């Protein structure tokens, strides 16, 4: 009995000593202006940096380039499918349509004016929305985006870093991301682009829209960032899903072979793909249904890629 009491008294005395030391150290630190001791803060800092940053900056603004004749078909399909999954969604056109709504840029339609529309749209976004989002995704009205996979892809990316992601095209002198496949800028890149658009001679914004954006960013030291999943498969695509899975054929455009040398007869699509291009309004609604509504009874989705025709055992 006496031994038990002695043990209790010993434990209690030990707790009092520890608390006294902690309080004393806290008081010393507070007199120095710190809320917690330096060594405690350093330990916390090390622990925080030892764990990969997850979901840092996930506010995504999606902006879609469209035109009046596409509002009731392509653009409406975007609005009623993936467009609603972004935190902010903006539609830019040549004229304002308050009912849809679209933001009119006052620039005539036409491929030669596309680069001007992109420039004006980015300037508008930087002025009005730069502090309301962390990432800024550009897409066309025939681009299909799986926004959930985009969030997954960006979960460990830093929006304050000079990076932009997309479907990389490799020219002889210039590497850039495809406009049709969609590209996403960090807030750092958006700000630097707008601040330098009238200063750099390499930001004249002439020619193809995506190449012009890439050339301007290249001149600022911002190169197209590597956009792949954990298996090394690209997640942004300039082509439709059908074209990508069909792979290299006799009808594959020469510019694809030159700018994306990895294309083969057996392309492997990432199972966390972010974008596909050339999706008409019917295609968008079909993909949206397959991704979000269709259930195959007794089937569990694989966590890794399975070649076509390989069934999964239950």
């Amino acid at each position: 009995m006496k031994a038990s009491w002695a043990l209790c008294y010993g434990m209690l005395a030990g707790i009092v000593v520890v608390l006294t030391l902690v309080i004393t150290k806290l008081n010393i630190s507070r007199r120095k202006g710190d809320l917690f001791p330096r060594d405690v803060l350093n330990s916390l800092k090390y622990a925080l940096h030892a764990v990969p940053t997850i979901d840092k900056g996930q506010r995504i603004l999606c902006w879609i380039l469209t035109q009046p004749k596409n509002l009731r078909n392509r653009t409406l399909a975007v609005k009623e499918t993936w467009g609603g999954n972004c935190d902010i969604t903006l539609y830019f056109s040549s004229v304002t349509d308050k009912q849809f709504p679209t933001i009119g840029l006052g620039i005539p339609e036409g491929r030669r004016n596309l680069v001007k529309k992109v420039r004006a749209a980015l300037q508008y976004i930087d002025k009005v929305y730069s502090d309301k989002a962390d990432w800024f995704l550009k897409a066309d009205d025939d681009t299909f985006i799986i926004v959930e996979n985009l969030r997954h892809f960006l979960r460990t990316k830093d929006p304050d870093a000079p990076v932009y992601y997309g479907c990389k095209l490799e020219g002889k002198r210039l590497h850039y991301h495809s406009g049709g496949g969609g590209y996403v800028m960090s807030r750092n890149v958006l700000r630097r682009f707008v601040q330098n658009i009238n200063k750099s001679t390499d930001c004249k914004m002439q020619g193809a829209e995506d190449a012009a954006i890439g050339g301007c960013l290249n001149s600022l030291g911002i190169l197209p960032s590597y956009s792949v999943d954990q298996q090394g498969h690209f997640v942004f695509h300039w082509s439709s899903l059908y074209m990508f899975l069909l792979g290299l054929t006799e009808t594959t455009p020469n510019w694809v072979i030159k700018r994306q040398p990895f294309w083969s007869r057996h392309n492997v699509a990432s199972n966390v793909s972010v974008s596909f291009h050339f999706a008409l309004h019917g295609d968008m609604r079909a993909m949206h249904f397959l991704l979000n509504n269709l259930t195959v009874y007794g089937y569990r989705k694989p966590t890794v890629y399975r070649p076509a025709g390989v069934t999964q055992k239950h």
Side-chain angles (χ1 to χ4, degrees), residues 222-283:
I222 302 170
L223 302 178
S225 304
Y226 210 46
S227 310
V228 297
D229 64 12
Q230 292 182 347
Q231 284 71 44
H233 301 143
F234 291 93
V235 296
F236 292 83
H237 304 87
W238 67 266
S239 69
S240 67
L241 175 59
Y242 168 79
M243 292 175 65
F244 187 81
L245 294 179
L246 192 63
L248 190 65
T249 67
E250 295 178 354
T251 60
T252 302
N254 288 330
W255 69 265
V256 175
I257 300 172
K258 293 178 180 179
R259 288 175 171 77
Q260 286 201 319
F262 69 87
W263 266 62
S264 69
R265 295 187 182 277
H266 304 285
N267 286 339
V268 178
S270 169
N271 63 348
V272 285
S273 290
V274 170
S275 74
F276 293 99
H277 192 205
F278 302 125
L280 301 181
H281 53 286
D283 301 326

Side-chain angles (χ1 to χ4, degrees), residues 31 48 76 90 93 103 142 149 152 164 167 187 228 237 249 261 264 294-295 301-302 304:
R31 285 197 296 270
L48 289 173
L76 183 61
L90 305 176
S93 181
I103 300 169
D142 62 346
N149 286 353
H152 172 77
Y164 87 117
C167 176
R187 59 188 173 213
V228 297
H237 304 87
T249 67
S264 69
L294 182 66
T295 299
K301 289 184 178 180
V304 295

Side-chain angles (χ1 to χ4, degrees), residues 116 201 206 251 305 313:
K116 297 178 182 178
T201 56
Q206 297 176 349
T251 60
Y305 176 80
K313 295 181 180 179

